[in-house]
């Protein structure tokens, strides 16, 4: 009986921890930072500064910055730096949040160049692919559009063509939700000269269990065939380096490159079919005007 009671207590505690970040994110999305702060304070009194608490603090830092409360955001960033002075595998999410929010605060105070220099320094020290991808994402958001596209092997054969890069993960729900509209976009514009590449990487798991590279590649190929049928024939190179360089820490991530090899769109989010079509048509129109000269 005592074992059963202990098990129930542990399950309840785990559920409460899982609900904390979910609740804080919901309150931030509603603009209710104060309630999120209260939830986190209550949690800390009972559980201390554990991983879930620090993850929630990362979200409060992001929320405070987003809601234009920079002094409060700095307090949360400082707390994260005190609690996580160095990169730790089990705390990559809040550690990355501190770097991300600090870069935004620097950009607002000292300008984009200062923020990029800060992020470059953090990238040089980071080791985990997910952390390096997150830092690269923030660098790219500040600087990639209007610049030559970082090299991808498959791009070499597509020089002179507009190219849409779709960075995805086989387990990513938002990527799968994008599949139908992306397939329609691809079928519509491929005949007008658009090329497409869908890079991804291995994450070491299948169905939340450790997997060999061969097992994960098999799962990746199965998901691509089953879910992304409208993208048949699109290359899907597997490269951690490419995913890191393009900052694909959030999937899906899109990059649209014009026929001169310049990045015209970079966004680490889902896109509506209408918005993606509009941006592609802009690039195709530019390509058409150049070809007619």
């Amino acid at each position: 009986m005592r074992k059963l009671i202990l098990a129930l207590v542990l399950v309840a505690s785990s559920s409460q921890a899982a609900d904390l970040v979910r609740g804080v994110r919901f309150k931030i999305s509603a603009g209710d930072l104060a309630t999120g702060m209260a939830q986190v304070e209550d949690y800390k009194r009972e559980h201390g500064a554990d991983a879930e608490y620090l993850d929630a603090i990362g979200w409060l830092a992001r929320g405070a910055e987003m809601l234009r409360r920079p002094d409060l955001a700095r307090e949360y960033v400082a707390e994260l730096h005190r609690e996580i002075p160095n990169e730790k595998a089990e705390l990559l999410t809040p550690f990355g949040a501190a770097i991300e929010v600090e870069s935004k605060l620097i950009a607002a105070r000292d300008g984009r160049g200062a923020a990029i220099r800060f992020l470059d320094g953090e990238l040089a020290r980071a080791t985990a692919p997910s952390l390096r991808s997150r830092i690269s994402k923030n660098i790219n958001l500040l600087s990639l559009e209007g610049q030559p596209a970082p090299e991808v092997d498959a791009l070499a054969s597509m020089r002179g063509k507009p190219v849409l890069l779709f960075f995805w993960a086989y387990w990513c729900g938002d990527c799968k939700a994008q599949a139908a509209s992306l397939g329609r976009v691809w079928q519509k514009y491929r005949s007008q000269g658009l090329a497409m590449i869908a890079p991804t990487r291995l994450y070491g798991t299948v169905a939340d269990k450790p997997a060999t590279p061969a097992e994960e590649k098999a799962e990746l190929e199965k998901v691509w065939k089953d879910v992304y049928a409208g993208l048949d024939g699109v290359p899907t190179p597997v490269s951690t380096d490419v995913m890191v360089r393009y900052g694909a820490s959030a999937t899906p991530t899109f990059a649209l490159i014009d026929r001169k090899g310049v990045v015209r769109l970079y966004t680490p989010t889902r896109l509506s079919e209408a918005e993606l079509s509009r941006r592609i048509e802009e690039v195709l129109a530019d390509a058409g005007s150049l070809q007619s000269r």
Side-chain angles (χ1 to χ4, degrees):
M1 186 66 178
R2 290 180 61 187
K3 290 182 178 180
L4 176 59
I5 292 173
L6 178 59
L8 290 173
V9 169
L10 290 174
V11 168
S13 177
S14 176
S15 176
Q16 183 180 355
D19 287 343
L20 176 65
V21 169
R22 188 181 304 113
V24 169
R25 292 179 64 177
F26 176 79
K27 293 301 180 182
I28 290 172
S29 68
D32 183 5
L33 189 62
T35 299
M37 294 166 63
Q39 290 176 335
V40 173
E41 287 177 355
D42 290 343
Y43 181 92
K44 186 180 182 182
R45 289 190 189 96
E46 184 173 350
H47 299 278
D50 61 9
E52 185 74 10
Y53 168 81
L54 294 172
D55 200 2
I57 289 293
W59 279 101
L60 287 179
R62 295 170 71 179
E65 188 279 327
M66 180 179 64
L67 296 171
R68 299 183 180 180
R69 301 209 32 204
D71 291 342
L72 184 58
R74 289 189 188 94
E75 290 180 16
Y76 286 129
V77 167
E79 180 175 1
L80 288 171
H81 284 321
R82 288 193 302 271
E83 296 289 343
I84 322 170
N86 301 297
E87 177 182 335
K88 296 180 179 180
E90 69 275 17
L91 296 173
L92 289 178
T93 297
F95 187 73
I99 294 171
E100 181 172 286
V101 174
E102 187 167 359
S103 73
K104 293 179 183 295
L105 294 171
I106 292 171
R109 185 184 65 229
D110 302 322
R112 185 177 66 171
I116 292 172
R117 288 191 294 274
F118 165 74
L119 288 165
D120 282 340
E122 294 297 323
L123 182 62
R125 288 186 286 273
T127 58
S130 61
L131 180 61
R132 290 178 57 78
S133 293
R134 186 168 186 174
I135 296 170
S136 293
K137 175 191 72 176
N138 285 279
I139 294 172
N140 291 342
L141 284 168
L142 290 168
S143 62
L144 189 58
E145 290 186 5
Q147 299 300 314
E151 285 298 324
V152 175
D153 287 343
L155 275 176
S157 63
M158 299 177 181
R159 295 190 189 281
K161 296 181 179 179
V163 181
L164 177 65
L165 295 175
F166 168 63
F167 297 90
W168 66 292
Y170 74 86
W171 43 262
C172 166
D174 281 340
C175 301
K176 293 175 182 178
Q178 186 91 60
S181 63
L182 189 57
R184 288 191 294 270
V185 167
W186 167 238
Q187 296 302 328
K188 180 178 180 180
Y189 294 109
R190 62 189 298 188
S191 62
Q192 300 180 42
L194 181 71
M196 185 173 171
I197 310 171
T200 189
R201 74 175 178 92
L202 301 182
Y203 293 83
T205 62
V206 171
D208 295 325
K209 296 180 181 179
T212 66
E215 290 170 338
E216 192 173 356
K217 286 180 180 178
E219 180 68 13
L220 186 157
E221 291 170 2
K222 179 180 183 299
V223 169
W224 185 258
K225 180 179 179 180
D226 292 346
V227 178
Y228 301 90
L231 301 175
D232 184 46
V234 172
T236 57
V238 179
S239 172
T240 297
D241 288 343
V242 169
M243 294 286 277
V244 167
R245 179 61 187 86
Y246 275 89
S249 66
T251 49
T253 287
F254 288 95
L256 181 60
I257 303 167
D258 68 19
R259 67 189 303 270
K260 294 184 289 185
V262 174
V263 178
R264 296 282 294 276
L265 168 70
Y266 175 79
T267 180
T269 59
R270 282 184 63 182
L271 286 173
S272 69
E273 185 172 347
E275 177 62 11
L276 184 56
S277 296
R278 183 182 71 82
R279 300 301 294 266
I280 290 171
E281 287 175 2
E282 289 177 352
V283 170
L284 289 172
D286 285 351
S289 64
L290 287 168
Q291 290 170 345
S292 66
R293 290 176 184 173

